[in-house]
Amino acid sequence: MSTAPISPGRPTSPDSAPAHEFSAPLLVPTRAGMTGPWALAERARRNPDGALIARKASLGRSWRDMSATAFRTQVREVAAGLVARGLMPGDAVGIMARTSYEWTLLDFAAWEAGLVVVPVYETSSAEQARWILTDAGVRLVVVEDATMETMLTSLTGTAPELADLHVLSIARGALTDLVMDGKDIDAADLDRRTARLTSADPATIVYTSGTTGRPKGAELTHGNLIHLAVNACAHLPEFLQAEQVRTLLFLPLAHVLGRFIELLVVCSPRGVLGHTPDVKNLVTDLSTFRPTFVTAVPRIFEKIYNAADARSTGPKQKIFRMAAETAIAYSRALDAPGGPRRTLRAERAIFDRLVFSALRDLLGGRVTHVISGGGPLGERLGHFYRGAGVTVLEGYGLTETSAPCTVNRPAATLIGTVGQPLPGTAVRLDDDGEILLKGIGVLGRYRNNPEATAEAFTPDGWLRTGDLGSFTAEGFLRITGRKKEIIVTAGGKNVAPAALEDRLRSHPLVSQVLVVGDARPCVGALITLDAEMLSGWLAGHGLEDMDPVEAARDPRVRSALERAVSRANRAVSRAESIRTFTVLPGDFTVANGLLTPSLKVRRAQALDRFADQIDALYTRAIS
């Protein structure tokens, strides 16, 4: 790797290295003492009375600010209770709850007590929870409500390895009990525990939700998380070091991206973090919290766009679609020499008053940047949002990289890519195009799984991602597909399904898409309908209301989907285009096991479950 000084955040391709490798130097030097407790103590020292947390009032729509000092005091009170429960440094503590203030409080309290946090998705089954709690050696788990408490308590009676597991419920006063338990713990004991922590110590074990196989426990250290967070804050000063930095977290904190945003706010000099557990109330919460930036998975941005399109009918829909095309053209022109022409700027200004301002109001009215991660956003949506006045900074990362390893920046954005390497990160393309990674966020090992650890790294220490990509000359990374998901048709054509799936999901009717065709004569697709959008779309097209099962059989709905497939096919060659498809009567969901908690399709499970439907696709195509 090159060690020559370069401008902050600018990626380099070392003189001695080929152009398929780029890296970025650290902006903030790392030290062994940088841990979770250190980050919170630093925030309280630098801005003791400034707000760090905003909590929604139990009644009404207002938010109450909590200072960094007040939050740290509560953290230490809960940490003392964990110590009083007999937990020793290095012990594992589980958290099973929706995104909430209590989740963040428990996260930092466990670190203050020298413990290792093990997230469990609130949607996990008993079998999944049993595996995670057993593999991680969890001694105590805090759950949100009675349903989760009942499920885990039953495990202590049926799973011998969990017989000694203690289950506490937030709904039944677990946090108050912990504070009371900890009143006799000497503060010096906590100080000794945090003083012994180093950046090399494990901070959390995050189990990959996994599209196939049993989840693996990625051991992430305090250094992985905090070194990356402090460098990301320096890398993105435009909205992480601004006078107003507010974000409303609705991603699950069991997901590494949600956790990373939590840490970003703590490491930001003036960041304020709010929580909302239920996306059904998201628009209302955004309007009252008024964030300056938000983070979401691509499906959220797709749904906002599709909802705006579906709510419009007749002339209003025509205006929205004209506005969308103008936004996309305006954003593309920003990247061209000379920028947008005068007439395009004027058109964009008109649509800003008619359409775009209302869209920004949906995000709270003050959002200037949104971070998209967890999957590919799609170039068209990226241009639409930027043209509408909200810059989408798409990034890329894995559980194994503590969240992002590349990201677009306000000062260096190329829509359609996932940006350039973050400080302290190197990205390389293998001979077959697989993305390989090294850096401060990359895990050292999987929990209790030396075989998986060995398989995850190349002989010279690069993490294998399983993703395929390419670089621009400036080091912007473009994701082109998943190595294991490449479809090879009977005719020998290699097809990356993601591009077609992304384009089809942009249609208001479509919820999920699974492109198929491995060893088949042509490419096909399984499509599910978006139940939330369906009624609005039907009404807007003068059709009677029907449920998804009826709509899946309706020739008028199919005709609309045929047009959507034809539009998606324009982006690929004829040999790669979708030639046959079917509409499934039900959607892919987390509950039925076909989506991961981060809303990725579990491809292997879906292929197995719908094997008969896939066979029928090709029977029809051939006949």
Side-chain angles (χ1 to χ4, degrees):
M1 295 297 153
S2 170
T3 57
I6 58 174
S7 58
R10 181 185 176 90
T12 62
S13 180
D15 294 338
S16 59
H20 62 261
E21 181 183 323
F22 287 85
S23 62
L26 290 170
L27 295 180
V28 179
T30 60
R31 302 192 308 275
M34 288 180 167
T35 63
W38 169 87
L40 181 56
E42 274 293 289
R43 174 61 189 270
R45 181 183 68 80
R46 292 183 178 186
N47 190 4
D49 300 321
L52 170 59
I53 302 288
R55 298 187 66 184
K56 190 177 181 182
S58 56
L59 296 175
R61 294 154 54 95
S62 62
W63 296 78
R64 301 192 308 269
D65 285 347
M66 174 183 286
S67 71
T69 299
F71 177 65
R72 186 166 182 259
T73 297
Q74 285 202 4
V75 163
R76 286 176 64 84
E77 288 174 345
V78 175
L82 294 171
V83 172
R85 292 278 177 145
L87 295 165
M88 302 301 293
D91 281 348
V93 173
I95 304 175
M96 186 180 191
R98 296 180 298 169
T99 295
S100 62
Y101 165 74
E102 290 79 9
W103 214 116
T104 295
L105 176 63
L106 284 162
D107 207 11
F108 279 91
W111 289 336
E112 196 81 20
L115 308 175
V116 180
V117 178
V118 181
V120 182
Y121 281 102
E122 74 275 11
T123 55
S124 295
S125 67
E127 182 182 348
Q128 290 167 331
R130 176 178 178 171
W131 163 249
I132 291 170
L133 297 172
T134 301
D135 188 63
V138 171
R139 292 190 54 197
L140 178 147
V141 60
V142 183
V143 301
E144 178 178 350
D145 57 29
T147 301
M148 299 176 197
E149 182 182 18
T150 299
M151 182 177 78
L152 296 193
T153 301
S154 68
L155 289 179
T156 64
T158 58
E161 67 274 19
L162 295 177
D164 296 328
L165 177 71
H166 295 278
V167 182
L168 306 180
S169 170
I170 294 171
R172 293 210 295 138
L175 295 179
T176 301
D177 292 344
L178 285 171
V179 170
M180 294 302 296
D181 290 346
K183 287 194 175 296
D184 294 331
I185 297 297
D186 190 344
D189 189 10
L190 286 181
D191 293 337
R192 284 190 291 271
R193 289 190 178 213
T194 57
R196 286 197 295 264
L197 274 181
T198 74
S199 58
D201 289 320
T204 187
I205 307 170
V206 182
Y207 282 78
T208 58
S209 52
T211 54
T212 60
R214 176 169 265 182
K216 301 188 293 287
E219 282 195 5
L220 303 177
T221 66
H222 284 272
N224 288 146
L225 298 171
I226 304 303
H227 293 166
L228 192 63
V230 296
N231 274 278
C233 280
H235 193 55
L236 300 164
E238 295 90 342
F239 64 94
L240 290 176
Q241 298 189 41
E243 285 302 314
Q244 289 282 328
V245 179
R246 294 173 64 83
T247 195
L248 183 63
L249 191 58
F250 50 89
L251 289 171
L253 278 164
H255 189 279
V256 73
L257 181 56
R259 201 81 161 288
F260 181 71
I261 297 301
E262 170 191 83
L263 288 167
L264 270 186
V265 173
V266 170
C267 292
S268 166
R270 289 171 291 277
V272 179
L273 180 67
H275 304 79
T276 185
D278 194 343
V279 293
K280 292 179 181 177
N281 301 323
L282 183 57
V283 172
T284 299
D285 287 342
L286 287 169
S287 69
T288 56
F289 184 86
R290 304 196 71 207
T292 58
F293 79 95
V294 296
T295 307
V297 295
R299 188 60 183 144
I300 297 294
F301 300 118
E302 291 170 355
K303 279 186 169 288
I304 291 172
Y305 177 91
N306 289 343
D309 184 47
R311 277 199 298 266
S312 308
T313 59
K316 288 185 177 180
Q317 187 175 66
K318 185 176 180 181
I319 290 172
F320 175 80
R321 291 181 177 178
M322 289 171 61
E325 293 303 321
T326 298
I328 292 166
Y330 181 84
S331 177
R332 291 186 189 280
L334 290 174
D335 297 330
R341 65 186 188 279
R342 182 180 300 176
T343 54
L344 183 55
R345 291 199 301 270
E347 290 170 5
R348 195 257 173 205
I350 293 170
F351 286 125
D352 189 67
R353 294 192 297 272
L354 293 175
V355 177
F356 304 149
S357 58
L359 179 72
R360 293 195 298 271
D361 286 343
L362 285 176
L363 295 171
R366 287 200 303 183
V367 168
T368 57
H369 297 86
V370 296
I371 301 172
S372 177
L377 176 67
E379 191 172 339
R380 182 179 172 83
L381 272 182
H383 280 301
F384 166 76
Y385 279 102
R386 181 167 71 164
V390 179
T391 298
V392 179
L393 303 176
E394 190 171 5
Y396 167 72
L398 313 170
T399 299
E400 290 84 350
T401 63
S402 310
C405 52
T406 70
V407 71
N408 280 286
R409 296 178 291 137
T413 292
L414 183 59
I415 290 175
T417 75
V418 292
Q420 300 166 315
L422 264 75
T425 303
V427 185
R428 171 187 284 183
L429 299 182
D430 208 352
D431 293 340
D432 61 357
E434 183 179 6
I435 299 166
L436 307 177
L437 301 169
K438 275 187 179 181
I440 53 177
V442 175
L443 87 168
R445 66 174 186 173
Y446 291 108
R447 170 83 172 182
N448 298 329
N449 203 334
E451 296 83 5
T453 302
E455 290 172 4
F457 290 91
T458 65
D460 55 347
W462 290 79
L463 176 70
R464 304 180 191 273
T465 66
D467 292 313
L468 302 173
S470 62
F471 280 122
T472 69
E474 297 78 21
F476 287 89
L477 179 64
R478 194 181 304 273
I479 308 299
T480 57
R482 284 284 297 168
K483 189 173 179 179
K484 292 182 179 178
E485 291 177 1
I486 293 295
I487 292 168
V488 183
T489 66
K493 182 64 180 177
N494 285 13
V495 179
L500 287 163
E501 292 168 350
D502 296 341
R503 284 170 171 82
L504 260 180
R505 277 200 309 271
S506 68
H507 192 282
L509 273 176
V510 176
S511 176
Q512 295 296 338
V513 183
L514 183 71
V515 168
V516 298
D518 209 38
R520 303 283 189 167
C522 63
V523 176
L526 305 181
I527 297 173
T528 70
L529 299 180
D530 191 323
E532 294 178 14
M533 297 288 107
L534 181 59
S535 292
W537 185 90
L538 291 169
H541 288 76
L543 302 177
E544 67 275 15
D545 196 22
M546 58 185 90
D547 62 33
V549 176
E550 295 170 314
R553 298 192 297 261
D554 191 278
R556 297 162 296 180
V557 172
R558 184 174 178 89
S559 179
L561 293 174
E562 286 172 351
R563 293 192 293 273
V565 168
S566 295
R567 286 193 295 271
N569 283 341
R570 293 173 193 164
V572 298
S573 69
R574 179 169 173 79
E576 297 169 282
S577 63
I578 296 170
R579 308 287 292 280
T580 179
F581 72 90
T582 192
V583 185
L584 300 176
D587 203 357
F588 297 176
T589 66
V590 175
N592 65 22
L594 295 176
L595 290 183
T596 70
S598 57
L599 305 185
K600 296 189 184 82
V601 173
R602 295 186 187 272
R603 187 170 294 270
Q605 287 89 330
L607 290 173
D608 181 62
R609 190 172 302 182
F610 298 111
D612 291 344
Q613 289 87 337
I614 294 169
D615 287 340
L617 271 182
Y618 293 99
T619 301
R620 290 198 303 271
I622 293 170
S623 60

